[in-house]
Amino acid sequence: QAVPIIMELRRARNCVDHRKVEMRLTGFEFQDNGRVISPTIEMNLAGSIIPRQDLFGYLTRVMGDLINIIEIMLPYLAGKHIQPMGLLKPQIRQVPEEKRRFKLVQFGIWMPFGSEGFYAQ
């Protein structure tokens, strides 16, 4: 699910770096009626389409998407590289909300102790 977001961002960065015509960035625009339109972004490149929208709103969405991707990617990578401790085979797991010591910490090291296991947080 993260790949299309990352590819869109990569293509947008490429358009900005190489000043490609497939991307259109506008600054503040004065309208005939006296209103001012804030900066916008628009892109159509290799399947990545960003309809014309407010630049601030787009960057806010991208920042939230990147935070979510990193929040999931780090536990995934940690889980791939966790080492066994003797006969114990710990895992990185999402801690159920009712077992969280810290409500904002989603992941912990799970160890097979007891019937439900133990979350090291």
Side-chain angles (χ1 to χ4, degrees):
Q1 293 175 344
V3 173
I5 297 167
I6 292 171
M7 290 306 294
E8 176 186 292
L9 187 59
R10 181 173 180 246
R11 288 180 182 128
R13 180 204 49 86
N14 192 35
C15 283
V16 171
D17 284 351
H18 300 288
R19 299 180 189 265
K20 293 191 176 239
V21 296
E22 289 87 354
M23 175 176 273
R24 189 166 160 231
L25 291 170
T26 61
F28 291 97
E29 291 181 11
F30 289 106
Q31 299 294 308
D32 293 337
N33 61 6
R35 296 182 62 196
V36 177
I37 297 178
S38 63
T40 62
I41 183 171
E42 181 178 9
M43 181 182 80
N44 187 351
L45 175 69
S48 291
I49 298 172
I50 302 171
R52 186 173 184 193
Q53 59 187 287
D54 178 55
L55 182 60
F56 179 76
Y58 174 75
L59 293 175
T60 301
R61 182 185 61 83
V62 165
M63 185 66 90
D65 289 344
L66 288 175
I67 288 170
N68 289 333
I69 289 169
I70 291 169
E71 196 172 50
I72 298 301
M73 187 78 64
L74 290 177
Y76 170 77
L77 292 173
K80 288 289 185 187
H81 297 284
I82 195 165
Q83 299 295 314
M85 295 187 288
L87 297 175
L88 292 176
K89 297 192 187 314
Q91 301 172 3
I92 304 294
R93 288 191 179 179
Q94 192 167 14
V95 181
E97 287 192 39
E98 65 275 2
K99 293 185 177 185
R100 291 182 187 171
R101 286 179 47 201
F102 308 101
K103 70 176 187 169
L104 297 178
V105 178
Q106 291 186 26
F107 295 91
I109 298 173
W110 177 85
M111 290 191 252
F113 291 135
S115 61
E116 295 181 17
F118 170 75
Y119 290 94
Q121 301 179 50

